[in-house]
Amino acid sequence: MTSTRSGVASRALLETLDEALTLLGGYALEPRQTADPLPSLLSQCEAFCALALVAEPVRTIHHMACTGGTLISKCLATLPNTLLLSEINPLSTMHVKEGMGQFAPTDLLLAMRKAVRPQDDDTLIRVFLSSMATLLADCSAKGIHLVLRDHAHSSFCTTAAAVAQPALHEILSREFPRRSVVTVRHPLDSFLALHSHKWSNVIPFTLEEYALRYEVFLDRHIDIPVCRYEDFVAAPEATLEQICSHLELPTPPGVIELISAVTLTGDSGRSGVIIEPRPRRPIPDEIRSSIDESKAYRRLCERFGYTSASD
Amino acid sequence: MTQPQSGASHGSIIHIGAGDGAELEGYLASRFERIVLVEPEPDRAAAIEIRCANDPRTSVIAGALTGVDGEAELKTYNIRALDGLCHPTGLQDIYPGMRVLSRVIVPTLSPAALLKRIEPLPGPVRLVLHATGVEADILNAWPVGDANSQLDSIELRCSAARLFDGGSDLSALRALLQMKGFDEISSDLSDPDWPKLVLRQNALRLELDAQRTLCAQLEGRLAEADVALESASSAIATKNGRIELLEAQLLEAEAAQVAAGTALTENQAKQAELNGRIELLESQVSEAEAAREVALKNTREATEAAQVAAKTALTEHQAREVELNTARSDLAVTLRMQAMLQSDLRDLQARYAETLSVRQQQEDLLRKLTPRLQEAAQYIQDNSALQSEGRGQLGHAKPRKPQSRKPKKLPGAQG
C-alpha cells in the first residue's frame, strides 16, 4: 500500500512538474549553462511572489479645521501621479440641507440619505467602500497614488452622535491597507481662526470645549504619526519629505512651487503664495480670560510641546 | 415906641425877638395896620399871643428868624435879653455870671418864609430887629425887589462888639445896612454894649445903586457887543475876502465853462464819430462772435468725439488688459500644470524602468529554475519507473524535453 500511495504522489508531483515545465517552456537554459541550486531559486521565487502580493495602500491625511491642513494637502496634491480628494467623510451631514429638495446628481450617498426611505450608516459605508475599491484598483492600474483628505470637523466638532460614528481611517481600514498622517497646530491659533470665521459648531463655543474635542480627535488617531504645522511652515521641503516618507509617496524637488496651481475645498486660511510663519491673530478679551482657566487647553499644549501662554 | 410917620399909610411893623412883649402895649395903641411879633421862646410867644388875642391886627409867630428854614437850639440865660440861637463867645466876658437856664429846639424861619406867612403886609414896613447874633444873616436873606418885602425902616439892637459865634459887630452891621441903602437916622448909645440904631431906606440912593448896577450891566453888555461887533466885522471881512475869492473862482469857472462848452461840442462831434465806429465794431464783433460760436461748437463736437473715441479706446485697452491678465494667469496655471504633468511623466518613467528591471530579474530567475525543475521531473520519473519495474516490466520512459517557446522581449530588455 505504501508503495502504491507513494507512486500516486509521485505521479501527481510529476504531473505538476510537467505543467510547470510547460509554462516555462520558453525559459530553457542553453546547454552548458548552469543554474543556482533549486532551494535558492525557489526562495527567490517566493520573494518575488511576496512583492507581488503587496497591494497599493490608500493614503489619508487628518486634521482639525483651521490647522493648516489645506496648505499641506495642496503640497500633496502637487506630488507626481497623486490624486488627492479633499474633505472626504462618507458619514458627514454638515452639507445636508433641511427639507427634501437638494440638487446633487453625482452624490449617491446624499441621495441615499435624502430618499423617502433613507439608508442607514452601514449601507452608506458599504457603498463608500465599494466605490473606494474600484477607484483604488483603477488608480493602481494607472500608477496613480490615491490620497484622501479627511473632513474630521464633521466627526469631532459637531454633535456627540457624529463623534460616536466610525471615522474615515477606521472605515478604510476594514478593507484596504492604509498609510496615514495627522497634522496639528497650536490650539489657540486654530481656535482664534474658528472664532474669526464664526464657525461655532462646537457647543459651547469655549476654548475648554474646543480643546476637549481636539483631544478626542487625537485619541481616535492615536496610532498615526503626527506632524506640526509650525514645523512645516518653518521648513516646508524637509517636513513634506517626512510626511511623504510616512505616506510612501515620492517627493521630487520643486513641488512646493506648484501649489498656486492647486485649489482645494476648505481653504479658509490667510492668502499668500509664500509659506512662512504668520503672527498670531489678536486675542479677544473673552478668550484671553479663558486661557488660564482651561485645563484641556494646557494638556493639549503639553502634548505637542506648545507654550500655553497667550504671548 | 416907634410910630409911623404922619401923613403916610400906617403900614406894618415886624418885631423880631419880641421877648416878653415890652413894646406890645405901644404897638397895640398905635395905628399900625399890621403887627407881627416873632418870638422863639415858646412860653413868651404864648404869653404875647394871649395878650394880643383880641387885636386882629396882630400875628404872633413862635419861632426864630434866621437865614434859613429849619430848626435850631434856643438857649435861655439868666439874663433874658441875651437869649439866642448862637453860642456866646465874648458875651461871658461882659456878663461873667451869665448861665444857661434852658435849651429848647425851636423852629426857624427864613425872611422869605416869614413874609409869605404874614402877607399881605401893608407898607411902609418897619422892622424891629432884636435877634442877637443873627442880624447879618437875617438882613442878607431879606428878599429884595418885592413890594411886600420892601422895608422902609429898621430899628436895630445889636451888640457893639462881636459877642456871638458867627455874629457881627456894630460896624459890620452899619456897613451892611449902608450897602443895602439904609441911612442911619438915629442911634442910642446909652448902653455902650448894646447900642440901638434907627435907619431909614434911602430910596434915591437905592435907585442910584440900582441904576449904577444897571449901568454897569449895560456897559458890560456894551463891551460884549463891541467884542461881538469886532468879531462880526472880522468875520464879515473874512467873508468878503471869501466872496471875492469865490467871485474870482466864479469868473474862472465861467471861463472854464465856456471852454468846456467848446470842448463839449468838439467831444460830441468826436463821440458821434466814435459811435459810428462803435457800431461798425459791434457789427464786426457780432460777426466774430458768431464765427467763434461756430468754431466752439465745432471744437466741442470734435472734443466730444475725441473723448468718446478715447473712452472707447480706454475701454478696449482695459478689456485687452483683462484679457492679457487672464491669459497670463491661464498661462501660469498651464505652465504649472505642464510642470506637474512632466513630473508625473518622469515618475511614471522611473517606475516603468523599475518594472522592466523586476521583470528581467523574473525572467532570469525562471530561466534558472526551468532546468532544475526538468531535473526534478526526470528524477521523479526515473523513480516512478523503478517502482514500476518492481511491480512488472514497464517500458523506459523517454526523458522529457521542454517545449520551445520564445519569450516576449520587451524593448530595452537585456538578454
Side-chain angles (χ1 to χ4, degrees), chain A:
Chain A
M1 287 301 285
T2 304
S3 61
T4 304
R5 221 180 282 136
S6 65
V8 170
S10 295
R11 277 199 294 278
L13 180 57
L14 187 61
E15 288 172 3
T16 304
L17 286 172
D18 283 341
E19 287 176 11
L21 287 171
T22 302
L23 288 172
L24 297 172
Y27 293 93
L29 282 175
E30 294 296 330
R32 296 186 183 172
Q33 281 183 318
T34 57
D36 295 336
L38 185 58
S40 172
L41 294 174
L42 289 174
S43 64
Q44 290 178 39
C45 286
E46 287 171 353
F48 274 114
C49 289
L51 282 177
L53 289 173
V54 174
E56 177 78 0
V58 61
R59 283 91 172 172
T60 60
I61 181 167
H62 309 268
H63 45 259
M64 294 281 274
C66 301
T67 57
T70 303
L71 178 61
I72 296 173
S73 298
K74 283 185 178 179
C75 293
L76 295 180
T78 63
L79 297 176
N81 299 298
T82 299
L83 172 63
L84 184 132
L85 301 182
S86 182
E87 297 192 318
I88 301 299
N89 189 327
L91 299 181
S92 174
T93 56
M94 286 188 68
H95 61 301
V96 180
K97 298 177 186 174
E98 292 290 328
M100 295 302 290
Q102 188 170 349
F103 180 72
T106 62
D107 193 338
L108 188 60
L109 295 182
L110 178 62
M112 290 163 65
R113 279 191 185 280
K114 300 289 287 183
V116 173
R117 296 178 181 78
Q119 303 303 298
D120 58 18
D121 287 353
D122 287 339
T123 305
L124 293 175
I125 288 173
R126 284 198 293 274
V127 171
F128 173 73
L129 288 174
S130 173
S131 302
M132 286 307 306
T134 302
L135 178 59
L136 198 57
D138 197 64
C139 286
S140 181
K142 295 176 184 175
I144 294 175
H145 310 300
L146 180 62
V147 181
L148 298 185
R149 178 190 175 200
D150 184 13
H151 192 254
H153 188 81
S154 295
S155 297
F156 297 97
C157 293
T158 54
T159 63
V163 175
Q165 291 171 339
L168 177 66
H169 69 294
E170 294 162 345
I171 294 173
L172 292 171
S173 293
R174 296 180 188 181
E175 295 193 5
F176 310 109
R178 177 179 52 80
R179 305 290 296 177
S180 299
V181 160
V182 168
T183 65
V184 297
R185 187 183 182 190
H186 195 295
L188 181 59
D189 290 317
S190 54
F191 185 70
L192 289 174
L194 281 176
H195 183 268
S196 71
H197 290 299
K198 295 182 173 52
W199 290 346
S200 54
N201 304 96
V202 172
I203 297 174
F205 190 65
T206 61
L207 183 61
E208 172 72 6
E209 181 64 26
Y210 174 74
L212 288 171
R213 300 293 188 99
Y214 211 140
E215 285 186 316
V216 171
F217 162 76
L218 292 171
D219 292 342
R220 288 280 288 275
H221 297 74
I222 194 66
D223 295 325
I224 298 176
V226 176
C227 170
R228 301 197 325 171
Y229 165 79
E230 289 78 5
D231 296 335
F232 176 77
V233 296
E237 288 85 5
T239 310
L240 181 63
E241 197 166 334
Q242 287 180 1
I243 293 172
C244 292
S245 172
H246 288 310
L247 296 177
E248 295 182 352
L249 291 172
T251 48
V255 294
I256 290 181
E257 296 165 3
L258 302 175
I259 62 171
S260 59
V262 178
T263 55
L264 294 180
T265 61
D267 196 356
S268 63
R270 289 170 278 187
S271 61
V273 296
I274 299 175
I275 299 176
E276 60 184 359
R278 297 285 177 89
R280 176 164 288 163
R281 293 173 190 267
I283 305 174
D285 292 338
E286 65 272 20
I287 295 177
R288 183 181 293 277
S289 61
S290 66
I291 289 174
D292 292 332
E293 297 168 357
S294 173
K295 293 182 182 176
Y297 166 74
R298 285 203 293 277
R299 286 199 301 269
L300 211 50
C301 290
E302 288 171 8
R303 188 165 177 169
F304 295 107
Y306 291 124
T307 174
S308 58
S310 59
D311 297 328

Side-chain angles (χ1 to χ4, degrees), chain A residues 18 23 26 36 80-81 143 260, chain B residues 336 344 347 351 372 400 405:
Chain A
D18 283 341
L23 288 172
D36 295 336
N81 299 298
S260 59
Chain B
R336 287 185 175 83
D344 291 355
D347 176 66
R351 288 158 68 183
R372 289 301 181 192
R400 290 184 173 274
R405 187 172 59 138

